[in-house]
Amino acid sequence: MKKILVATEKPFAKAAVEGIRKIIVDAGFEMALLENYVQKSEFLAASSDADAIIIRSDIVDSEVFEAAKKLKIVVRAGAGYDNIDLVGATAHGVVAMNTPGQNSNAVAELAIGMMVFAARNNFNGSSGTELRGKKLGLHAFGYVSKAVAAIAQGFGMEVFAYDPFVDKKSIEADGVQYVDDVKDLYGKCQYVSLHLPANAQTKKSINFDLLSLMPKGATLVNTARKEVIDEEGLLKMFAERPDFKYVSDVEPDCKSFIAEKFTGRFFFSPKKMGAQTSEANNNAGLAAAHQILNFFTNGDKTFQVNK
Ligand code: 3PG
């Protein structure tokens, strides 16, 4: 009997776990659950007899591939797969997948929520500002950006997007204004929301040169990855631009410095919360389980990311 391990350092909602279990058991497979683990060794031990693994932001590297001798497929229940060593997966004959779009509404709602929080001065009782009429720049235009755009339009924001991999027509189809130069996006938008993946090209790409182009009242919103930020440039921006705010679902490494020097101009979730809704857990978790069953029963490799 095939064994599917659900390994989540940050657990799914209970209902999502039960939904995943039902899909797996109904298909005649076995499910193992490892939640809230602290040591990597716990993950390695649990992986040793798994044919498939469902993860979230859990790190799947060569140690895992070495330990999981029977592993055929790993599915990241979520969008970003920078936590999986794709080269290692391919070398070990493992198919890696994500579940694109399944948690995007949850992340989009958080991005907008953090914008409101910043605009209202962290709800500290002082007079803030409104989102209506402000310009929002979406840096990259995937599932989350589309959802952010739709909500922001409801708030009466003017929405722009830059994405070198998405054409003008597709961006405009969502009522969003196309920007073909990233500098123009930062140059015109008081709010910039980051939705780019973390990879060799994008790491540290959000730097002072880009941020300093933002107009007065600049707020950077990060529900993507901390690695895309050049933290030296971020600190320079905080120091040189008293109007600048940074709200992020991913704590920067320089968090304590910011907290000490730039009170009231930031928000950082203590633990990544973007996809942490029961709906998103359900959508992504159940999709992951279905993708694994389709892979084992029909050889379906839709959503494979290590091609
Ligand atoms: C994603 O890439 O899907 C999000 O960052 C969610 O990550 P999480 O599953 O660890 O909450």
Side-chain angles (χ1 to χ4, degrees):
M1 191 190 287
K2 294 227 181 307
K3 188 168 186 174
I4 299 169
L5 170 68
V6 176
T8 49
E9 181 270 322
K10 181 177 62 184
F12 287 122
K14 276 202 164 33
V17 175
E18 288 324 306
I20 295 168
R21 190 188 302 281
K22 184 166 177 2
I23 291 167
I24 292 173
V25 171
D26 285 356
F29 295 173
E30 185 187 346
M31 181 178 125
L33 181 64
L34 175 72
E35 292 180 323
N36 286 312
Y37 62 92
V38 181
Q39 305 293 341
K40 177 85 172 281
S41 55
E42 298 173 65
F43 184 20
L44 297 179
S47 304
S48 65
D49 59 350
D51 298 278
I53 306 179
I54 295 175
I55 50 155
R56 297 185 66 181
S57 290
D58 309 79
I59 306 291
V60 174
D61 55 14
S62 55
E63 273 190 307
V64 176
F65 295 124
E66 290 300 330
K69 298 272 182 249
K70 294 168 69 189
L71 190 64
K72 292 283 173 294
I73 177 168
V74 57
V75 181
R76 193 277 192 251
Y81 45 85
D82 47 311
N83 49 322
I84 305 177
D85 170 6
L86 296 183
V87 175
T90 306
H92 286 83
V94 175
V95 169
M97 293 185 184
N98 67 345
T99 63
Q102 298 292 346
N103 59 21
S104 52
N105 185 66
V107 181
E109 287 190 11
L110 184 74
I112 297 283
M114 291 197 299
M115 279 184 225
V116 174
F117 187 69
R120 296 302 184 93
N121 299 328
N122 299 8
F123 300 152
N124 70 357
S126 65
S127 271
T129 54
E130 299 180 19
L131 298 185
R132 186 166 63 175
K134 304 296 186 303
K135 291 185 170 64
L136 166 65
L138 302 171
H139 190 157
F141 198 69
Y143 287 98
V144 179
S145 274
K146 278 171 184 272
V148 171
I151 304 169
Q153 284 157 350
F155 273 77
M157 298 185 90
E158 218 184 322
V159 187
F160 300 82
Y162 164 80
D163 190 324
F165 303 104
V166 181
D167 63 39
K168 186 170 191 261
K169 229 169 126 195
S170 313
I171 288 178
E172 288 179 347
D174 283 299
V176 171
Q177 298 180 53
Y178 172 80
V179 176
D180 68 356
D181 181 343
V182 69
K183 287 186 176 162
D184 287 350
L185 188 84
Y186 284 75
K188 61 165 64 120
C189 297
Q190 293 98 341
Y191 289 84
V192 171
S193 190
L194 301 176
H195 300 290
L196 64 173
N199 56 38
Q201 286 74 44
T202 63
K203 281 182 185 167
K204 290 187 189 257
S205 65
I206 312 305
N207 53 28
F208 181 75
D209 287 352
L210 214 46
L211 293 173
S212 60
L213 299 171
M214 291 180 77
K216 197 165 167 20
T219 297
L220 181 69
V221 184
N222 187 1
T223 52
R225 295 288 182 268
K226 73 173 180 183
E227 289 83 1
V228 301
I229 305 280
D230 168 21
E231 293 199 5
E232 248 177 64
L234 178 73
L235 290 177
K236 189 168 178 206
M237 184 69 181
F238 264 112
E240 294 193 7
R241 287 277 302 269
D243 62 303
F244 174 72
K245 295 182 178 179
Y246 179 49
V247 285
S248 178
D249 190 27
V250 278
E251 289 180 340
D253 294 334
C254 59
K255 175 192 131 183
S256 11
F257 189 81
I258 293 176
E260 195 188 313
K261 300 263 182 205
F262 308 113
T263 323
R265 293 168 54 196
F266 68 91
F267 170 77
F268 305 131
S269 310
K271 192 153 199 171
K272 190 150 65 102
M273 288 297 295
Q276 206 58 330
T277 64
S278 52
E279 293 91 336
N281 287 178
N282 227 46
N283 294 342
L286 269 53
H290 282 302
Q291 287 173 211
I292 288 172
L293 298 190
N294 284 337
F295 170 75
F296 282 130
T297 49
N298 313 317
D300 187 348
K301 293 185 187 171
T302 311
F303 307 119
Q304 181 175 4
V305 291
N306 60 332
K307 289 183 221 181

